Amino acid sequence: MLLVYRTCGKNLLIAVQIWSRDRCIFPREVAKGIHTPMFILNPAYDVWQVEHVLSPEGSDPEHLWQNCRLDITKCDSKQLETLQGFRKELLDALSEFKKKKDWGMFINSCYIHCQSMNSLTWHSPSAPRINNKTIAESVGDWFFNRREVKEIDCEYPCNPTCHNAVLDQPYNEE
């Protein structure tokens, strides 16, 4: 067991226990030690994760995933099945956090990355919605304790409000 102390803010000291080095970097393991209420915002089909975790270019020498990585509508049935499995893994990882009443989540079925940094996807008339709530409305409801927020969308391509990324080239954060 490894005990790590971190200073967060001026007077807050956090102790994090890490039981196994091979599990310490995975968010589902780290989050187990977090007692502060958190809000999880993530698309079930995160463009960056698909490109860099699920199907990185280096592991696709025949470029079978190239079109799918750039545009989810170009995925064949086998690739969509793989993406649905990726979504299921995410939801399985979140299952224990769904039980935490003071935690919130908004997991939509959009093919996108960083939805909170763009007003179009955060809170606009055309923003993605789950149960007729935008991301901003859901975060606000959670933050101000207006309701318990556990918004989990259906499988792609169910949500017509999604802004799905269509890339000309692989995703680049720069």
Side-chain angles (χ1 to χ4, degrees), residues 72-123:
I72 196 169
T73 65
K74 304 261 171 73
C75 298
D76 63 33
S77 60
K78 186 72 173 157
Q79 290 165 331
L80 285 174
E81 185 179 316
T82 301
L83 289 171
Q84 302 306 6
F86 193 65
R87 174 185 179 271
K88 183 182 180 321
E89 285 291 318
L90 171 66
L91 298 181
D92 288 349
L94 294 174
S95 65
E96 120 175 30
F97 307 113
K98 282 175 59 178
K99 300 172 193 167
K100 294 185 175 193
K101 195 164 183 64
D102 55 350
W103 282 45
M105 60 182 67
F106 190 98
I107 311 297
N108 62 21
S109 61
C110 304
Y111 189 64
I112 197 164
H113 183 68
C114 290
Q115 299 175 94
S116 62
M117 295 172 52
N118 183 330
S119 61
L120 181 67
T121 54
W122 178 253
H123 186 64

Short mmCIF file of all heavy atoms in Angstrom, two decimals, residues 72-123:
data_model
loop_
_atom_site.label_atom_id
_atom_site.label_comp_id
_atom_site.label_asym_id
_atom_site.label_seq_id
_atom_site.Cartn_x
_atom_site.Cartn_y
_atom_site.Cartn_z
N ILE A 72 -17.98 9.15 -37.06
CA ILE A 72 -18.67 7.95 -36.54
C ILE A 72 -19.70 7.40 -37.53
O ILE A 72 -19.99 6.22 -37.52
CB ILE A 72 -19.30 8.23 -35.15
CG1 ILE A 72 -19.65 6.93 -34.44
CG2 ILE A 72 -20.48 9.19 -35.27
CD1 ILE A 72 -20.03 7.08 -32.98
N THR A 73 -20.23 8.24 -38.41
CA THR A 73 -21.20 7.75 -39.39
C THR A 73 -20.55 6.86 -40.44
O THR A 73 -21.25 6.18 -41.19
CB THR A 73 -21.95 8.90 -40.10
OG1 THR A 73 -21.02 9.65 -40.88
CG2 THR A 73 -22.65 9.81 -39.10
N LYS A 74 -19.21 6.86 -40.48
CA LYS A 74 -18.48 6.02 -41.45
C LYS A 74 -18.06 4.68 -40.85
O LYS A 74 -17.37 3.90 -41.49
CB LYS A 74 -17.25 6.77 -41.95
CG LYS A 74 -17.56 8.12 -42.57
CD LYS A 74 -17.60 8.06 -44.05
CE LYS A 74 -18.11 9.32 -44.69
NZ LYS A 74 -17.23 10.45 -44.70
N CYS A 75 -18.46 4.40 -39.62
CA CYS A 75 -18.10 3.14 -38.97
C CYS A 75 -18.96 2.02 -39.53
O CYS A 75 -20.16 2.19 -39.74
CB CYS A 75 -18.32 3.23 -37.46
SG CYS A 75 -17.31 4.48 -36.64
N ASP A 76 -18.33 0.86 -39.75
CA ASP A 76 -19.11 -0.29 -40.19
C ASP A 76 -19.75 -0.97 -38.97
O ASP A 76 -19.52 -0.56 -37.83
CB ASP A 76 -18.26 -1.25 -41.03
CG ASP A 76 -17.10 -1.88 -40.26
OD1 ASP A 76 -17.23 -2.12 -39.03
OD2 ASP A 76 -16.06 -2.17 -40.88
N SER A 77 -20.54 -1.98 -39.21
CA SER A 77 -21.29 -2.61 -38.12
C SER A 77 -20.37 -3.22 -37.06
O SER A 77 -20.66 -3.16 -35.86
CB SER A 77 -22.26 -3.67 -38.66
OG SER A 77 -21.55 -4.67 -39.35
N LYS A 78 -19.25 -3.78 -37.45
CA LYS A 78 -18.31 -4.37 -36.49
C LYS A 78 -17.66 -3.28 -35.63
O LYS A 78 -17.48 -3.44 -34.42
CB LYS A 78 -17.24 -5.17 -37.26
CG LYS A 78 -16.30 -5.93 -36.37
CD LYS A 78 -16.99 -7.12 -35.73
CE LYS A 78 -15.97 -7.94 -34.98
NZ LYS A 78 -16.57 -8.76 -33.95
N GLN A 79 -17.31 -2.16 -36.27
CA GLN A 79 -16.73 -1.05 -35.52
C GLN A 79 -17.75 -0.45 -34.55
O GLN A 79 -17.41 -0.14 -33.41
CB GLN A 79 -16.21 0.02 -36.49
CG GLN A 79 -14.99 -0.45 -37.25
CD GLN A 79 -14.68 0.42 -38.46
OE1 GLN A 79 -15.55 1.02 -39.07
NE2 GLN A 79 -13.40 0.47 -38.81
N LEU A 80 -19.00 -0.32 -34.99
CA LEU A 80 -20.05 0.18 -34.09
C LEU A 80 -20.25 -0.77 -32.91
O LEU A 80 -20.45 -0.32 -31.77
CB LEU A 80 -21.36 0.38 -34.84
CG LEU A 80 -21.43 1.61 -35.73
CD1 LEU A 80 -22.72 1.62 -36.52
CD2 LEU A 80 -21.28 2.90 -34.92
N GLU A 81 -20.15 -2.05 -33.16
CA GLU A 81 -20.25 -3.03 -32.08
C GLU A 81 -19.11 -2.83 -31.08
O GLU A 81 -19.31 -2.88 -29.86
CB GLU A 81 -20.20 -4.44 -32.67
CG GLU A 81 -20.43 -5.55 -31.68
CD GLU A 81 -20.38 -6.92 -32.35
OE1 GLU A 81 -20.99 -7.09 -33.43
OE2 GLU A 81 -19.74 -7.82 -31.79
N THR A 82 -17.91 -2.57 -31.58
CA THR A 82 -16.76 -2.30 -30.72
C THR A 82 -16.99 -1.01 -29.92
O THR A 82 -16.70 -0.96 -28.72
CB THR A 82 -15.47 -2.19 -31.56
OG1 THR A 82 -15.28 -3.42 -32.26
CG2 THR A 82 -14.26 -1.91 -30.70
N LEU A 83 -17.52 0.02 -30.57
CA LEU A 83 -17.81 1.27 -29.88
C LEU A 83 -18.87 1.08 -28.79
O LEU A 83 -18.78 1.68 -27.72
CB LEU A 83 -18.25 2.35 -30.87
CG LEU A 83 -17.15 2.89 -31.79
CD1 LEU A 83 -17.75 3.78 -32.88
CD2 LEU A 83 -16.10 3.63 -31.00
N GLN A 84 -19.87 0.25 -29.07
CA GLN A 84 -20.89 -0.02 -28.05
C GLN A 84 -20.27 -0.75 -26.86
O GLN A 84 -20.65 -0.52 -25.71
CB GLN A 84 -22.07 -0.84 -28.63
CG GLN A 84 -22.79 -0.20 -29.79
CD GLN A 84 -23.32 1.20 -29.58
OE1 GLN A 84 -23.09 1.85 -28.57
NE2 GLN A 84 -24.02 1.71 -30.57
N GLY A 85 -19.32 -1.64 -27.13
CA GLY A 85 -18.59 -2.32 -26.05
C GLY A 85 -17.78 -1.33 -25.23
O GLY A 85 -17.69 -1.44 -24.00
N PHE A 86 -17.18 -0.34 -25.91
CA PHE A 86 -16.41 0.71 -25.24
C PHE A 86 -17.33 1.52 -24.33
O PHE A 86 -16.99 1.81 -23.18
CB PHE A 86 -15.78 1.60 -26.32
CG PHE A 86 -14.71 2.53 -25.82
CD1 PHE A 86 -13.52 2.05 -25.32
CD2 PHE A 86 -14.89 3.89 -25.91
CE1 PHE A 86 -12.52 2.91 -24.89
CE2 PHE A 86 -13.91 4.77 -25.49
CZ PHE A 86 -12.72 4.27 -24.98
N ARG A 87 -18.53 1.84 -24.81
CA ARG A 87 -19.53 2.55 -24.02
C ARG A 87 -19.92 1.71 -22.80
O ARG A 87 -20.02 2.22 -21.68
CB ARG A 87 -20.77 2.83 -24.87
CG ARG A 87 -21.93 3.43 -24.11
CD ARG A 87 -23.16 3.55 -25.01
NE ARG A 87 -24.29 4.09 -24.29
CZ ARG A 87 -25.18 3.36 -23.61
NH1 ARG A 87 -25.08 2.05 -23.56
NH2 ARG A 87 -26.19 3.94 -22.98
N LYS A 88 -20.14 0.42 -23.00
CA LYS A 88 -20.53 -0.46 -21.91
C LYS A 88 -19.44 -0.50 -20.83
O LYS A 88 -19.74 -0.48 -19.63
CB LYS A 88 -20.81 -1.87 -22.42
CG LYS A 88 -21.30 -2.81 -21.33
CD LYS A 88 -21.52 -4.21 -21.84
CE LYS A 88 -22.00 -5.18 -20.79
NZ LYS A 88 -21.43 -5.07 -19.48
N GLU A 89 -18.18 -0.54 -21.24
CA GLU A 89 -17.07 -0.51 -20.28
C GLU A 89 -17.10 0.77 -19.45
O GLU A 89 -16.88 0.74 -18.24
CB GLU A 89 -15.72 -0.63 -21.00
CG GLU A 89 -15.41 -2.01 -21.48
CD GLU A 89 -15.14 -2.98 -20.34
OE1 GLU A 89 -14.46 -2.61 -19.37
OE2 GLU A 89 -15.65 -4.12 -20.43
N LEU A 90 -17.37 1.91 -20.11
CA LEU A 90 -17.47 3.17 -19.40
C LEU A 90 -18.60 3.12 -18.38
O LEU A 90 -18.42 3.47 -17.21
CB LEU A 90 -17.70 4.33 -20.37
CG LEU A 90 -18.04 5.68 -19.74
CD1 LEU A 90 -16.87 6.23 -18.95
CD2 LEU A 90 -18.49 6.67 -20.80
N LEU A 91 -19.76 2.67 -18.81
CA LEU A 91 -20.91 2.61 -17.90
C LEU A 91 -20.68 1.63 -16.76
O LEU A 91 -21.10 1.88 -15.63
CB LEU A 91 -22.18 2.28 -18.67
CG LEU A 91 -22.60 3.31 -19.73
CD1 LEU A 91 -23.88 2.89 -20.42
CD2 LEU A 91 -22.70 4.71 -19.15
N ASP A 92 -20.01 0.51 -17.04
CA ASP A 92 -19.67 -0.43 -15.97
C ASP A 92 -18.74 0.22 -14.96
O ASP A 92 -18.89 0.03 -13.75
CB ASP A 92 -19.02 -1.69 -16.54
CG ASP A 92 -20.00 -2.60 -17.28
OD1 ASP A 92 -21.23 -2.37 -17.19
OD2 ASP A 92 -19.53 -3.52 -17.98
N ALA A 93 -17.78 0.99 -15.46
CA ALA A 93 -16.84 1.68 -14.57
C ALA A 93 -17.55 2.71 -13.71
O ALA A 93 -17.14 2.98 -12.58
CB ALA A 93 -15.73 2.34 -15.39
N LEU A 94 -18.62 3.29 -14.22
CA LEU A 94 -19.36 4.31 -13.49
C LEU A 94 -20.44 3.75 -12.58
O LEU A 94 -21.03 4.48 -11.78
CB LEU A 94 -20.01 5.29 -14.48
CG LEU A 94 -19.06 6.14 -15.30
CD1 LEU A 94 -19.84 6.95 -16.33
CD2 LEU A 94 -18.23 7.04 -14.41
N SER A 95 -20.72 2.46 -12.69
CA SER A 95 -21.85 1.88 -11.97
C SER A 95 -21.79 2.12 -10.46
O SER A 95 -22.80 2.42 -9.84
CB SER A 95 -21.99 0.39 -12.27
OG SER A 95 -20.87 -0.32 -11.79
N GLU A 96 -20.62 2.03 -9.88
CA GLU A 96 -20.53 2.23 -8.44
C GLU A 96 -20.74 3.70 -8.07
O GLU A 96 -21.23 4.01 -7.00
CB GLU A 96 -19.20 1.64 -7.96
CG GLU A 96 -18.25 2.52 -7.30
CD GLU A 96 -17.03 1.75 -6.78
OE1 GLU A 96 -16.63 0.73 -7.35
OE2 GLU A 96 -16.49 2.22 -5.78
N PHE A 97 -20.42 4.62 -8.99
CA PHE A 97 -20.60 6.04 -8.70
C PHE A 97 -22.05 6.47 -8.90
O PHE A 97 -22.47 7.49 -8.35
CB PHE A 97 -19.65 6.88 -9.54
CG PHE A 97 -18.23 6.41 -9.37
CD1 PHE A 97 -17.55 5.82 -10.41
CD2 PHE A 97 -17.60 6.51 -8.15
CE1 PHE A 97 -16.27 5.34 -10.24
CE2 PHE A 97 -16.32 6.04 -7.96
CZ PHE A 97 -15.64 5.46 -9.01
N LYS A 98 -22.80 5.70 -9.67
CA LYS A 98 -24.23 5.99 -9.82
C LYS A 98 -24.94 5.85 -8.48
O LYS A 98 -25.95 6.49 -8.24
CB LYS A 98 -24.87 5.03 -10.84
CG LYS A 98 -24.60 5.40 -12.27
CD LYS A 98 -25.13 4.38 -13.23
CE LYS A 98 -26.60 4.15 -13.11
NZ LYS A 98 -27.12 3.18 -14.09
N LYS A 99 -24.40 5.03 -7.59
CA LYS A 99 -25.01 4.80 -6.29
C LYS A 99 -24.77 5.95 -5.32
O LYS A 99 -25.47 6.06 -4.31
CB LYS A 99 -24.46 3.50 -5.68
CG LYS A 99 -24.73 2.28 -6.52
CD LYS A 99 -24.00 1.07 -5.96
CE LYS A 99 -23.99 -0.07 -6.93
NZ LYS A 99 -23.05 -1.12 -6.55
N LYS A 100 -23.78 6.77 -5.60
CA LYS A 100 -23.46 7.89 -4.70
C LYS A 100 -24.45 9.02 -4.96
O LYS A 100 -24.41 9.68 -5.99
CB LYS A 100 -22.03 8.37 -4.93
CG LYS A 100 -20.98 7.35 -4.54
CD LYS A 100 -19.59 7.91 -4.66
CE LYS A 100 -18.56 6.92 -4.17
NZ LYS A 100 -17.25 7.53 -3.99
N LYS A 101 -25.32 9.23 -4.01
CA LYS A 101 -26.41 10.19 -4.17
C LYS A 101 -25.92 11.61 -4.44
O LYS A 101 -26.55 12.35 -5.18
CB LYS A 101 -27.30 10.15 -2.93
CG LYS A 101 -28.62 10.81 -3.13
CD LYS A 101 -29.58 10.42 -2.03
CE LYS A 101 -30.95 11.00 -2.21
NZ LYS A 101 -31.67 10.56 -3.37
N ASP A 102 -24.79 11.98 -3.85
CA ASP A 102 -24.32 13.36 -4.01
C ASP A 102 -23.39 13.54 -5.22
O ASP A 102 -22.91 14.64 -5.47
CB ASP A 102 -23.63 13.85 -2.72
CG ASP A 102 -22.51 12.94 -2.26
OD1 ASP A 102 -22.38 11.82 -2.80
OD2 ASP A 102 -21.78 13.34 -1.33
N TRP A 103 -23.17 12.50 -5.98
CA TRP A 103 -22.40 12.61 -7.23
C TRP A 103 -23.38 12.78 -8.38
O TRP A 103 -24.50 12.27 -8.35
CB TRP A 103 -21.57 11.35 -7.47
CG TRP A 103 -20.32 11.28 -6.65
CD1 TRP A 103 -20.18 11.54 -5.32
CD2 TRP A 103 -19.03 10.90 -7.12
NE1 TRP A 103 -18.89 11.34 -4.93
CE2 TRP A 103 -18.15 10.95 -6.02
CE3 TRP A 103 -18.54 10.51 -8.35
CZ2 TRP A 103 -16.80 10.65 -6.12
CZ3 TRP A 103 -17.18 10.21 -8.45
CH2 TRP A 103 -16.33 10.28 -7.35
N GLY A 104 -22.94 13.50 -9.40
CA GLY A 104 -23.77 13.68 -10.58
C GLY A 104 -23.05 13.21 -11.82
O GLY A 104 -21.83 13.05 -11.83
N MET A 105 -23.82 12.98 -12.89
CA MET A 105 -23.19 12.59 -14.15
C MET A 105 -24.08 12.92 -15.33
O MET A 105 -25.31 12.96 -15.21
CB MET A 105 -22.78 11.12 -14.16
CG MET A 105 -23.87 10.12 -13.98
SD MET A 105 -23.26 8.40 -13.96
CE MET A 105 -22.32 8.37 -12.45
N PHE A 106 -23.42 13.18 -16.43
CA PHE A 106 -24.07 13.45 -17.71
C PHE A 106 -23.22 12.73 -18.76
O PHE A 106 -22.13 13.16 -19.10
CB PHE A 106 -24.09 14.95 -17.99
CG PHE A 106 -24.95 15.36 -19.17
CD1 PHE A 106 -26.23 15.83 -18.97
CD2 PHE A 106 -24.45 15.30 -20.46
CE1 PHE A 106 -27.01 16.25 -20.04
CE2 PHE A 106 -25.23 15.71 -21.54
CZ PHE A 106 -26.51 16.18 -21.34
N ILE A 107 -23.71 11.59 -19.22
CA ILE A 107 -23.00 10.76 -20.18
C ILE A 107 -23.88 10.68 -21.43
O ILE A 107 -24.87 9.95 -21.44
CB ILE A 107 -22.73 9.34 -19.63
CG1 ILE A 107 -22.12 9.38 -18.22
CG2 ILE A 107 -21.89 8.53 -20.61
CD1 ILE A 107 -20.77 10.03 -18.12
N ASN A 108 -23.52 11.45 -22.45
CA ASN A 108 -24.36 11.42 -23.65
C ASN A 108 -23.76 10.51 -24.71
O ASN A 108 -22.66 9.98 -24.57
CB ASN A 108 -24.65 12.82 -24.18
CG ASN A 108 -23.41 13.58 -24.60
OD1 ASN A 108 -22.37 13.01 -24.87
ND2 ASN A 108 -23.53 14.89 -24.65
N SER A 109 -24.51 10.31 -25.78
CA SER A 109 -24.08 9.39 -26.84
C SER A 109 -23.47 10.13 -28.02
O SER A 109 -23.48 9.64 -29.14
CB SER A 109 -25.26 8.54 -27.30
OG SER A 109 -26.28 9.35 -27.82
N CYS A 110 -22.90 11.30 -27.75
CA CYS A 110 -22.29 12.09 -28.81
C CYS A 110 -20.85 11.64 -29.08
O CYS A 110 -20.17 11.14 -28.19
CB CYS A 110 -22.29 13.56 -28.42
SG CYS A 110 -23.94 14.21 -28.04
N TYR A 111 -20.41 11.84 -30.32
CA TYR A 111 -19.03 11.55 -30.72
C TYR A 111 -18.31 12.88 -30.75
O TYR A 111 -18.31 13.61 -31.75
CB TYR A 111 -19.02 10.87 -32.09
CG TYR A 111 -17.67 10.34 -32.50
CD1 TYR A 111 -17.07 9.32 -31.78
CD2 TYR A 111 -17.00 10.84 -33.61
CE1 TYR A 111 -15.84 8.82 -32.14
CE2 TYR A 111 -15.77 10.34 -33.99
CZ TYR A 111 -15.19 9.33 -33.26
OH TYR A 111 -13.97 8.84 -33.62
N ILE A 112 -17.71 13.23 -29.60
CA ILE A 112 -17.16 14.56 -29.41
C ILE A 112 -16.14 14.50 -28.27
O ILE A 112 -15.97 13.46 -27.64
CB ILE A 112 -18.32 15.55 -29.11
CG1 ILE A 112 -17.88 16.99 -29.30
CG2 ILE A 112 -18.93 15.27 -27.75
CD1 ILE A 112 -19.05 17.96 -29.40
N HIS A 113 -15.47 15.62 -28.00
CA HIS A 113 -14.51 15.72 -26.90
C HIS A 113 -14.61 17.14 -26.34
O HIS A 113 -14.80 18.08 -27.08
CB HIS A 113 -13.10 15.43 -27.42
CG HIS A 113 -12.05 15.44 -26.38
ND1 HIS A 113 -11.97 14.48 -25.39
CD2 HIS A 113 -11.02 16.28 -26.16
CE1 HIS A 113 -10.93 14.73 -24.62
NE2 HIS A 113 -10.34 15.82 -25.05
N CYS A 114 -14.49 17.29 -25.05
CA CYS A 114 -14.47 18.61 -24.37
C CYS A 114 -15.74 19.41 -24.61
O CYS A 114 -15.72 20.53 -25.12
CB CYS A 114 -13.25 19.42 -24.79
SG CYS A 114 -11.72 18.76 -24.13
N GLN A 115 -16.86 18.89 -24.19
CA GLN A 115 -18.14 19.57 -24.39
C GLN A 115 -18.33 20.78 -23.48
O GLN A 115 -19.13 21.66 -23.78
CB GLN A 115 -19.29 18.59 -24.14
CG GLN A 115 -19.27 17.43 -25.10
CD GLN A 115 -20.33 16.42 -24.75
OE1 GLN A 115 -21.42 16.47 -25.29
NE2 GLN A 115 -20.00 15.51 -23.85
N SER A 116 -17.60 20.85 -22.38
CA SER A 116 -17.80 21.94 -21.43
C SER A 116 -17.09 23.22 -21.85
O SER A 116 -17.35 24.28 -21.29
CB SER A 116 -17.32 21.53 -20.04
OG SER A 116 -15.94 21.24 -20.08
N MET A 117 -16.23 23.16 -22.84
CA MET A 117 -15.45 24.33 -23.24
C MET A 117 -16.08 25.11 -24.40
O MET A 117 -15.52 26.09 -24.85
CB MET A 117 -14.04 23.88 -23.63
CG MET A 117 -13.27 23.30 -22.46
SD MET A 117 -11.69 22.54 -22.89
CE MET A 117 -10.88 23.81 -23.81
N ASN A 118 -17.24 24.69 -24.85
CA ASN A 118 -17.85 25.29 -26.02
C ASN A 118 -19.30 25.62 -25.70
O ASN A 118 -20.07 24.73 -25.32
CB ASN A 118 -17.74 24.29 -27.19
CG ASN A 118 -18.27 24.82 -28.48
OD1 ASN A 118 -19.18 25.64 -28.52
ND2 ASN A 118 -17.72 24.32 -29.57
N SER A 119 -19.69 26.87 -25.85
CA SER A 119 -21.06 27.26 -25.51
C SER A 119 -22.09 26.54 -26.37
O SER A 119 -23.22 26.31 -25.93
CB SER A 119 -21.24 28.78 -25.63
OG SER A 119 -20.99 29.20 -26.96
N LEU A 120 -21.72 26.15 -27.58
CA LEU A 120 -22.64 25.42 -28.45
C LEU A 120 -23.05 24.08 -27.84
O LEU A 120 -24.21 23.68 -27.92
CB LEU A 120 -22.01 25.19 -29.83
CG LEU A 120 -22.87 24.46 -30.85
CD1 LEU A 120 -24.07 25.31 -31.25
CD2 LEU A 120 -22.04 24.11 -32.08
N THR A 121 -22.10 23.41 -27.19
CA THR A 121 -22.41 22.12 -26.58
C THR A 121 -22.73 22.22 -25.09
O THR A 121 -23.30 21.31 -24.51
CB THR A 121 -21.26 21.11 -26.78
OG1 THR A 121 -20.04 21.70 -26.30
CG2 THR A 121 -21.11 20.74 -28.24
N TRP A 122 -22.37 23.33 -24.46
CA TRP A 122 -22.60 23.51 -23.04
C TRP A 122 -24.04 23.95 -22.75
O TRP A 122 -24.75 23.32 -21.99
CB TRP A 122 -21.60 24.53 -22.48
CG TRP A 122 -21.77 24.85 -21.03
CD1 TRP A 122 -22.27 26.01 -20.51
CD2 TRP A 122 -21.44 24.03 -19.92
NE1 TRP A 122 -22.27 25.96 -19.13
CE2 TRP A 122 -21.76 24.75 -18.75
CE3 TRP A 122 -20.91 22.75 -19.79
CZ2 TRP A 122 -21.57 24.24 -17.47
CZ3 TRP A 122 -20.72 22.24 -18.52
CH2 TRP A 122 -21.05 22.97 -17.37
N HIS A 123 -24.46 25.04 -23.39
CA HIS A 123 -25.80 25.56 -23.11
C HIS A 123 -26.23 26.53 -24.20
O HIS A 123 -26.10 27.74 -24.06
CB HIS A 123 -25.84 26.24 -21.75
CG HIS A 123 -27.22 26.68 -21.34
ND1 HIS A 123 -28.23 25.79 -21.11
CD2 HIS A 123 -27.75 27.90 -21.13
CE1 HIS A 123 -29.33 26.45 -20.76
NE2 HIS A 123 -29.05 27.73 -20.77
#
